């Protein structure tokens, strides 16, 4: 369910009046098959009991594949209605689908917390414009690893996967804090790396 009960600007104004620090959005981006959802899930399992951390469920106009994705679904019509009602902190489009991060993410960050979300490289300009403090974690993997993971999903044939891997990534300007993680190996290794980054950023939240 989308949280539209609080205006993030109200939380920001209260914190500024009290002189309290704001939090940070950690947005995880990278190519399909890099393992972004798996890494976020790894960290969420270890920090679930700490209310300082909010693991944002993004909204997508495609039903989630429980094996590889973790998001909430809205039809295109419901997504458009939610957008007009102010349910999203930021929205973007990719490959004919609509994506959004709920307003609750901005509320949490402006209240001094740390929010972790699966984002998009192409949407980074909009995300950076919507949150005052953002750390970008760019997850990558070797091409053969990406190809194997994409094939395991069963959504695309070999030709489509090869075309996807040949596609140039979006031209992303590395504004703000940019952190690289190679997730070609064991999930536990990359997961511990991301966990350490999240904990470190929570201590450095402005």
């Amino acid at each position: 369910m989308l949280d539209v009960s609080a205006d993030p600007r109200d939380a920001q104004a209260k914190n500024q009046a009290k002189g309290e620090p704001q939090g940070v959005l950690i947005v995880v981006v990278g190519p399909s098959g890099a393992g972004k959802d798996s890494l976020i899930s790894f960290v969420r399992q270890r920090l679930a009991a700490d209310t300082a951390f909010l693991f944002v469920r993004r909204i997508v106009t495609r039903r989630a594949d429980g094996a590889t994705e973790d998001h909430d679904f809205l039809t295109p019509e419901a997504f458009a209605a939610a957008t007009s009602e102010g349910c999203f902190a930021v929205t973007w489009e990719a490959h004919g689908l609509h994506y959004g991060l709920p307003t609750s993410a901005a509320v949490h960050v402006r209240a001094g917390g740390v929010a972790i979300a699966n984002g998009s490289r192409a949407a980074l300009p909009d995300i950076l414009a919507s949150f005052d403090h953002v750390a970008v974690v760019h997850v990558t993997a070797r091409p053969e690893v990406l190809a194997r993971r994409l094939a395991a999903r069963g959504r695309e044939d070999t030709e489509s996967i090869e075309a996807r891997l040949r596609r140039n990534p979006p031209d992303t300007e590395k504004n703000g804090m940019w952190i690289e993680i190679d997730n070609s190996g064991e999930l536990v290794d990359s997961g511990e790396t991301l966990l350490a980054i999240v904990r470190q950023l929570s201590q450095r939240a402005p």
Side-chain angles (χ1 to χ4, degrees):
M1 180 178 295
L2 299 182
D3 182 358
V4 294
S5 60
D7 187 328
R9 292 169 295 184
D10 293 339
Q12 182 184 36
K14 290 178 181 178
N15 285 341
Q16 289 175 342
K18 296 177 182 178
E20 295 178 359
Q22 296 184 45
V24 60
L25 172 70
I26 301 173
V27 58
V28 182
V29 302
S32 296
K36 300 181 292 296
D37 277 318
S38 296
L39 284 174
I40 293 172
S41 177
F42 180 96
V43 175
R44 181 175 57 242
Q45 291 173 17
R46 285 148 182 82
L47 297 177
D50 192 333
T51 58
F53 300 98
L54 173 66
F55 289 85
V56 182
R57 289 182 65 83
R58 67 179 181 176
I59 316 302
V60 186
T61 55
R62 179 185 65 201
R63 295 190 183 277
D65 172 0
T68 59
E69 295 179 309
D70 184 20
H71 64 249
D72 289 332
F73 165 74
L74 285 178
T75 64
E77 296 77 15
F79 190 98
T83 300
S84 66
E85 293 168 4
C87 295
F88 298 113
V90 61
T91 63
W92 66 92
E93 297 182 34
H95 310 297
L97 299 173
H98 296 272
Y99 297 78
L101 300 184
T103 303
S104 55
V107 172
H108 186 79
V109 169
R110 286 172 173 157
V114 176
I116 301 96
N118 187 339
S120 165
R121 290 172 292 181
L124 280 178
D126 291 333
I127 294 172
L128 290 166
S130 300
F131 290 82
D132 292 328
H133 304 291
V134 179
V136 180
V137 176
H138 184 222
V139 180
T140 61
R142 297 190 301 273
E144 66 272 18
V145 175
L146 294 176
R148 184 173 67 249
R149 291 173 181 169
L150 291 171
R153 293 181 179 182
R155 294 190 207 139
E156 300 172 291
D157 58 25
T158 300
E159 184 176 348
S160 298
I161 291 172
E162 291 177 351
R164 177 187 287 275
L165 295 177
R166 288 194 301 268
R167 192 180 305 151
N168 292 328
D171 186 12
T172 303
E173 185 176 353
K174 297 181 180 180
N175 291 329
M177 184 175 295
W178 185 283
I179 302 162
E180 297 276 351
I181 293 180
D182 187 329
N183 190 32
S184 299
E186 295 295 329
L187 175 63
V188 65
D189 295 330
S190 301
E192 289 292 348
T193 297
L194 179 57
L195 178 61
I197 289 168
V198 170
R199 284 174 169 159
Q200 181 181 16
L201 288 174
S202 70
Q203 297 171 0
R204 296 174 55 185

